[in-house]
Amino acid sequence: VDVSFIPALRAIVGATHILEDADLRRAYETDWTRRYHGSTPFVVRPGNTDEVAAVVAACAGAGVSLVPQGGNTGLVGGGVPRAGEVVLSLTRLNTLSPVDAVGGEVTVGAGATLAQLQQHVRAAGWNFGVDLASRDSCTIGGMIATNAGGIRVIRYGAMRHQLVGIEAVLANGQVIRRLPGLRKDNTGYDLANLLAGSEGTLAVVTAARLRLIPQLPSRAVALLAVPHTAAALAVTASVRAGTTGLEAAELFFSEGVELVRRHAGLPAPPVGTSPAYLLLECAAPANAADELSSALSTIDLPTAFATEARQREGLWAYRERHTEAISAEGIPHKLDVALPLDRLAEFEGRVRQHLREAVPEARPILFGHVGDGNIHVNILGLDPDDDRATDAVLQLTAELGGSISAEHGIGVAKTRWLHLTRSPADIAAMAAIKSALDPRGILNPGVIFGMSALRE
Amino acid sequence: VDVSFIPALRAIVGATHILEDADLRRAYETDWTRRYHGSTPFVVRPGNTDEVAAVVAACAGAGVSLVPQGGNTGLVGGGVPRAGEVVLSLTRLNTLSPVDAVGGEVTVGAGATLAQLQQHVRAAGWNFGVDLASRDSCTIGGMIATNAGGIRVIRYGAMRHQLVGIEAVLANGQVIRRLPGLRKDNTGYDLANLLAGSEGTLAVVTAARLRLIPQLPSRAVALLAVPHTAAALAVTASVRAGTTGLEAAELFFSEGVELVRRHAGLPAPPVGTSPAYLLLECAAPANAADELSSALSTIDLPTAFATEARQREGLWAYRERHTEAISAEGIPHKLDVALPLDRLAEFEGRVRQHLREAVPEARPILFGHVGDGNIHVNILGLDPDDDRATDAVLQLTAELGGSISAEHGIGVAKTRWLHLTRSPADIAAMAAIKSALDPRGILNPGVIFGMSALRE
């Protein structure tokens, strides 16, 4: 990057918001998985949308590439620099507007964290439909750019489904802005939905109007010992058809529960040991326990039931503590795939054998959001750069009609496998859209399409 | 159109599926509102996706423009020819695959009608989230292309929210296909969501994978006499926060109820005459009446309550019969706008006066889906080509931050007003996407952008 470029940016954001010092840059150059890192000449931290637009316009004019970054909690290397790009940090755009109680909506800056949003809307008597373990760090802009999911997609959808308006800066520095909060708006192409999940390659999200959900005080959790994935799917389908409050349906296995118990010192699950476990949560204005127990009344499987908060947390612990227990054993390969629901049991049944044949030392630990067909395949015992396990898992996913990225995105981690589940026609259409909106390829180059694609 | 082109199409779809005869063409050349019509040299009726792709490729090669058409129930002239385009009718693509009971999904051809889909999935114990009065004619492909809404958007969203996969033919004849049914899929741009609402300008939808919803046997309807729109909004917000089963929230006024009563011979509503009425419906696996009456327990307004089917229909009649009662008085201008919920009462309060000043002879009848901020402004007493009323209503909508098309789309009817609520940056971004995917502008020319735009 031409250093003569820096004074122009200083004039836009102020000297204190350009970070050139290596110590200050470091946190922006490496992602939290420790797998992805690069170097940036400097980090720019604009304080509002106009400044973002001016920075992007200046970069576009100089032909300088940008990597937009929120809370830097991505898992596929899409938010850290790769080849000397400028890092555009959005964390100062953290405004939270008052909650619109009539519409049940709120406007929020891209840099606000999920936890800040949650705290803000809960104080006003509402809740937000997406929740993630990284809530204290992940930002709303990053969650939109990656279309973040989490455990409640089964009920409320992913980030794109919460969007009722967006503000973003295009690669030419122009601002698109639709923030009034329109639940119905059929006036041309839905740019908000196009940007959701585009991983910073089409525009820089600066703010969003989000729908809120009611606070549901009545909650019930059931933990079931299930013999296998097919049984978990059948129970989930039955509960889904018999309730309207199903909010989570989590599947995990003895391999993970043993690890969690050892790591966290937990007793055996109250349903005993089992090859697989299904955790269900229902939430409603009232009587969630009646709804869930009635939906489970015909199911003859060992079941533990909890309504009181601490008991519910006790059942959830077997699932929620997977991530920390796995990380305590080493740096895992985290593969996040989705299968059509009618192929999920087959995938789960075959993937361990498939891995064993490809990489005998691989140690897989699976868990997932079974209602969405989403399985997180965590693999221990591998070198971080060993792609054989990734190859084996993603090939099997593609063979069964699945998606090689359910929630995390493509980033730079999965560009080599994109062709497995997106056809040449799909990829050509995506590349045409990318070229149309970012002809010089300055926004997050290398992400989704790979470094060799799309540059002039 | 060069007639030498026809034999090539005959070879693709068979001679009987090219309609050249004026009598046969007529039904495809005029929409059902009778406001929009044009002429086509011929109608092509392909029988499967490969034939659609071959027809589009042949047209692209010859530089011939196409107007995709489903059930021809659009309200903005987006599905009938304008300047001699070939009509591409998709109604023969009406395959319905077996319902996937594990995932609660179904794959359906673009030409199947909504009623056929409903019948098919109900027989398998499921339901579909979008319902419209034109269900016997409107097709799934047209509903996706226009992102159709209807009365249950408040609970289930519009067509785009039902999409879990799409198959479509691009302007170059290539097929994009993602039909396995993936609830989570973050592998690049969401082309399905881009095509939803694009009104046939980016691709021809040939099939879709749709999510289904449970059949909810317990239903309760309440009709409330409300003093004004603000009260209807407050009641709706309160019920929404206190229930999870709210499926419809319809607002209408004495002007419409008087017309309906005269036209259909109905008695006065059981809540008496009132300036405005709010109709609410809750649906649940059980106890919907408890849920709705509990949510209304603090509301002190005249309320009629119904749970039995015939009684529910009796309350619904005051709302549902608006369309036929209005049409019986003449050909209305149908303006379909959305407002931010916190501006809806102001809009309703001002629009009649605003109209009276602009067009004294205009006779407005309003009704709408109040939970979505969607108001249908029907105007009687005007010449079909008199745009003064359209101008007045859409200007007010824009002034209040609304959308000039909530459900119907832009078509050719509203292209002149698109700039009112989409900024130059928005429109430029949309036009760039259009040019990228359809560089020769052969797909539904004139729609959204106007006839002067986008042609080479």
Side-chain angles (χ1 to χ4, degrees):
Chain A
V1 175
D2 185 355
V3 281
S4 70
F5 182 58
I6 298 185
L9 296 182
R10 264 199 206 105
I12 297 166
V13 300
T16 56
H17 299 304
I18 308 268
L19 311 181
E20 294 180 81
D21 186 277
D23 286 343
L24 296 177
R25 292 194 325 253
R26 195 162 297 124
Y28 299 84
E29 293 178 326
T30 303
D31 79 340
W32 79 278
T33 68
R34 293 162 287 164
R35 265 192 84 184
Y36 302 97
H37 43 83
S39 71
T40 184
F42 51 87
V43 177
V44 191
R45 303 178 68 243
N48 57 48
T49 302
D50 288 345
E51 289 184 12
V52 175
V55 167
V56 173
C59 289
V64 172
S65 293
L66 290 162
V67 173
Q69 188 181 94
N72 196 8
T73 58
L75 293 167
V76 288
V80 287
R82 294 161 287 281
E85 300 87 357
V86 169
V87 170
L88 179 66
S89 171
L90 283 306
T91 53
R92 290 180 62 217
L93 279 70
N94 59 357
T95 313
L96 294 159
S97 76
V99 169
D100 169 2
V102 175
E105 296 173 357
V106 68
T107 300
V108 51
T113 65
L114 173 57
Q116 287 168 341
L117 171 68
Q118 288 172 333
Q119 195 176 3
H120 179 65
V121 304
R122 284 174 188 161
W126 295 83
N127 210 342
F128 185 63
V130 173
D131 193 17
L132 302 174
S134 59
R135 62 186 71 84
D136 291 319
S137 306
C138 68
T139 62
I140 300 304
M143 291 174 72
I144 293 169
T146 56
N147 185 34
I151 58 165
R152 299 201 296 217
V153 171
I154 190 172
R155 180 162 191 177
Y156 300 111
M159 273 307 273
R160 71 169 70 256
H161 302 108
Q162 321 309 315
L163 275 181
V164 283
I166 204 162
E167 182 190 76
V169 175
L170 298 172
N172 59 9
Q174 290 194 320
V175 179
I176 58 172
R177 183 180 286 126
R178 303 229 355 112
L179 291 175
L182 295 167
R183 296 297 178 107
K184 285 183 174 176
D185 180 24
N186 278 342
T187 56
Y189 309 152
D190 190 334
L191 299 179
N193 255 302
L194 180 62
L195 298 189
S198 67
E199 304 189 44
T201 61
L202 297 178
V204 179
V205 176
T206 50
R209 181 84 170 175
L210 300 170
R211 76 174 173 116
L212 302 177
I213 58 171
Q215 285 184 356
L216 300 174
S218 175
R219 294 189 169 266
V221 171
L223 179 67
L224 290 85
V226 291
H228 42 59
T229 296
L233 281 161
V235 171
T236 303
S238 154
V239 171
R240 189 182 237 170
T243 66
T244 55
L246 185 63
E247 198 154 305
E250 300 290 303
L251 174 67
F252 45 98
F253 301 92
S254 56
E255 64 203 9
V257 169
E258 282 162 27
L259 198 66
V260 164
R261 288 187 57 194
R262 196 162 67 236
H263 175 76
L266 293 183
V271 291
T273 57
S274 169
Y277 300 86
L278 175 65
L279 186 144
L280 302 170
E281 176 157 3
C282 272
N287 306 321
D290 294 349
E291 187 175 0
L292 183 55
S293 59
S294 154
L296 288 171
S297 61
T298 59
I299 309 289
D300 187 22
L301 288 167
T303 303
F305 210 83
T307 53
E308 191 263 320
R310 185 169 298 188
Q311 292 173 314
R312 287 188 274 120
E313 284 159 22
L315 296 183
W316 264 107
Y318 293 100
R319 162 64 184 83
E320 284 216 312
R321 293 193 150 193
H322 269 64
T323 302
E324 68 192 61
I326 291 166
S327 289
E329 302 266 311
I331 298 182
H333 279 230
K334 293 175 105 59
L335 296 170
D336 154 51
V337 301
L339 280 301
L341 285 180
D342 58 0
R343 309 304 291 274
L344 187 64
E346 183 181 353
F347 174 84
E348 188 271 317
R350 286 174 60 189
V351 69
R352 291 185 187 79
Q353 175 66 20
H354 208 73
L355 264 174
R356 199 151 42 231
E357 286 162 14
V359 199
E361 67 272 31
R363 184 178 156 213
I365 295 143
L366 273 61
F367 58 91
H369 316 298
V370 69
D372 311 314
N374 183 187
I375 292 279
H376 294 288
V377 181
N378 289 261
I379 308 171
L380 287 165
L382 296 180
D383 184 271
D385 294 320
D386 186 340
D387 279 338
R388 290 173 302 156
T390 302
D391 230 21
V393 172
L394 300 189
Q395 293 276 2
L396 179 64
T397 301
E399 182 192 326
L400 298 177
S403 164
I404 63 163
S405 181
E407 303 189 306
H408 300 166
I410 296 297
V412 297
K414 288 181 175 172
T415 58
R416 284 172 45 208
W417 293 276
L418 180 62
H419 70 278
L420 282 180
T421 56
R422 300 296 299 248
S423 69
D426 269 30
I427 295 172
M430 293 197 288
I433 293 166
K434 167 71 175 173
S435 294
L437 294 185
D438 181 17
R440 302 183 68 180
I442 66 161
L443 292 179
N444 228 1
V447 164
I448 298 178
F449 301 97
M451 282 310 280
S452 60
L454 290 169
R455 302 306 297 268
E456 284 179 315
Chain B
V1 175
D2 185 355
V3 280
S4 68
F5 181 59
I6 299 186
L9 296 183
R10 265 200 204 103
I12 296 167
V13 300
T16 56
H17 299 303
I18 308 268
L19 311 181
E20 292 180 82
D21 186 277
D23 286 345
L24 296 177
R25 292 195 322 254
R26 195 163 297 126
Y28 299 84
E29 292 178 327
T30 303
D31 79 340
W32 80 277
T33 69
R34 295 162 286 165
R35 265 192 85 184
Y36 302 97
H37 43 83
S39 70
T40 184
F42 51 87
V43 178
V44 191
R45 303 178 67 244
N48 57 49
T49 302
D50 288 345
E51 289 184 11
V52 175
V55 168
V56 173
C59 289
V64 172
S65 293
L66 290 164
V67 174
Q69 189 182 94
N72 197 9
T73 58
L75 294 167
V76 288
V80 287
R82 294 162 286 280
E85 300 87 357
V86 169
V87 171
L88 179 66
S89 170
L90 282 307
T91 53
R92 290 179 63 217
L93 278 70
N94 59 357
T95 312
L96 295 158
S97 76
V99 170
D100 169 2
V102 175
E105 296 173 357
V106 69
T107 299
V108 52
T113 66
L114 174 56
Q116 287 168 341
L117 172 67
Q118 288 172 333
Q119 195 176 5
H120 179 66
V121 304
R122 285 174 187 160
W126 295 82
N127 210 341
F128 185 64
V130 173
D131 194 16
L132 302 174
S134 59
R135 61 186 73 84
D136 292 318
S137 305
C138 69
T139 62
I140 300 305
M143 292 173 71
I144 293 169
T146 57
N147 186 32
I151 57 165
R152 299 202 295 218
V153 171
I154 192 173
R155 181 161 190 178
Y156 300 112
M159 273 307 274
R160 72 168 69 256
H161 302 108
Q162 320 309 315
L163 275 180
V164 282
I166 204 162
E167 182 191 77
V169 175
L170 298 172
N172 59 9
Q174 289 194 321
V175 179
I176 57 171
R177 184 180 286 125
R178 296 207 34 90
L179 291 175
L182 294 167
R183 296 297 178 107
K184 286 183 174 174
D185 180 23
N186 277 344
T187 56
Y189 309 153
D190 189 333
L191 298 178
N193 255 303
L194 179 62
L195 298 188
S198 68
E199 304 190 44
T201 62
L202 297 178
V204 179
V205 176
T206 49
R209 180 84 169 176
L210 301 169
R211 76 174 172 116
L212 302 177
I213 58 171
Q215 285 184 354
L216 299 174
S218 175
R219 294 188 168 267
V221 171
L223 179 67
L224 289 85
V226 291
H228 42 59
T229 296
L233 281 161
V235 172
T236 303
S238 155
V239 171
R240 190 181 236 170
T243 66
T244 55
L246 185 63
E247 197 154 306
E250 300 290 304
L251 174 67
F252 45 98
F253 301 91
S254 56
E255 65 204 6
V257 168
E258 283 161 25
L259 197 67
V260 164
R261 288 187 57 194
R262 196 162 66 237
H263 176 75
L266 293 182
V271 290
T273 57
S274 168
Y277 301 86
L278 175 65
L279 185 144
L280 302 170
E281 177 158 2
C282 272
N287 308 320
D290 295 349
E291 187 174 0
L292 183 54
S293 59
S294 154
L296 288 172
S297 61
T298 59
I299 310 289
D300 186 22
L301 289 168
T303 303
F305 210 83
T307 53
E308 190 263 321
R310 185 170 298 187
Q311 294 172 314
R312 287 188 275 121
E313 284 159 22
L315 297 182
W316 264 107
Y318 293 99
R319 164 63 185 83
E320 284 216 314
R321 293 192 150 195
H322 269 62
T323 303
E324 69 192 62
I326 291 166
S327 289
E329 303 267 312
I331 298 182
H333 279 229
K334 293 174 105 58
L335 297 170
D336 154 52
V337 301
L339 281 301
L341 285 180
D342 58 0
R343 308 305 290 274
L344 188 64
E346 182 180 354
F347 175 84
E348 188 272 317
R350 285 174 60 189
V351 69
R352 292 185 187 79
Q353 176 65 22
H354 208 72
L355 263 173
R356 198 152 40 233
E357 286 163 14
V359 200
E361 68 272 31
R363 184 177 156 214
I365 296 144
L366 274 59
F367 58 91
H369 315 298
V370 70
D372 311 313
N374 182 187
I375 291 279
H376 294 288
V377 181
N378 289 261
I379 308 170
L380 287 165
L382 295 181
D383 184 271
D385 295 321
D386 186 341
D387 279 338
R388 291 174 302 157
T390 302
D391 229 23
V393 173
L394 300 189
Q395 293 277 3
L396 180 63
T397 302
E399 182 192 326
L400 298 177
S403 164
I404 62 164
S405 182
E407 302 190 307
H408 300 166
I410 297 297
V412 297
K414 289 181 175 171
T415 58
R416 284 173 43 209
W417 293 278
L418 180 63
H419 70 277
L420 283 180
T421 54
R422 300 296 300 246
S423 69
D426 270 30
I427 295 173
M430 294 197 287
I433 294 166
K434 167 71 175 174
S435 295
L437 293 185
D438 181 17
R440 302 183 68 181
I442 66 162
L443 291 180
N444 228 1
V447 165
I448 298 177
F449 301 97
M451 283 309 281
S452 60
L454 291 169
R455 302 304 299 267
E456 282 180 315

